């Protein structure tokens, strides 16, 4: 048996052993059950609606906060320009501040991205 056959044989044996178990199984629910459970699902949706709306509003506010963080990333190149080109005009301190905010912005964005699922759960994350 050549080298190709030695590598192919274990692969074929593994496929023959594991492939039949990975076939999808069809699961269906009959329409009568759906018709019986629909009123209960509607009642559950009415109860959950205020919580879903609260989570959506809180999550959208957090997404807006993330958009502001993305915009603040542009403070870094602005600050660099202020420190170099604006130094003769007294913009050095402002440029240093903008650079500092520009360096902080990606870290804040990463933190806000990690807190996004918590915000969509309806909880105001810290920060």
């Amino acid at each position: 048996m050549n080298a190709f056959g030695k590598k192919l044989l274990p692969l074929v044996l593994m496929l023959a052993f594991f492939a039949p178990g990975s076939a999808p199984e069809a699961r269906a629910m009959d329409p009568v059950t759906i018709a019986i459970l629909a009123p209960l699902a509607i009642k559950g949706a009415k109860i959950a609606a205020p919580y879903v709306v609260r989570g959506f509003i809180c999550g959208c506010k957090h997404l807006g906060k993330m958009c502001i963080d993305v915009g603040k990333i542009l403070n870094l190149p602005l600050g660099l320009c202020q420190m170099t080109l604006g130094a003769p005009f007294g913009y050095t301190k402002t440029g240093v501040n903008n650079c500092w905010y520009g360096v902080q912005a990606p870290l804040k964005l990463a933190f806000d991205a990690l807190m996004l699922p918590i915000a969509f759960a309806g909880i105001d994350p810290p920060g």
Side-chain angles (χ1 to χ4, degrees), residues 46-98:
K46 285 181 182 177
I47 292 171
Y51 302 106
V52 171
V53 170
R54 178 179 171 211
F56 183 72
I57 290 171
C58 191
C60 288
K61 285 180 185 177
H62 198 75
L63 279 173
K65 186 178 174 183
M66 288 177 65
C67 290
I68 291 171
D69 288 340
V70 169
K72 285 185 179 179
I73 291 174
L74 295 175
N75 280 356
L76 183 60
L78 174 66
L80 290 174
C81 288
Q82 287 174 335
M83 286 192 309
T84 56
L85 301 175
F89 305 110
Y91 286 110
T92 305
K93 184 177 179 183
T94 308
V96 170
N97 284 337
N98 279 332

Side-chain angles (χ1 to χ4, degrees), residues 17-31:
F17 185 71
F18 291 114
S22 65
E25 181 180 329
R27 293 185 182 184
M29 184 180 271
D30 78 290

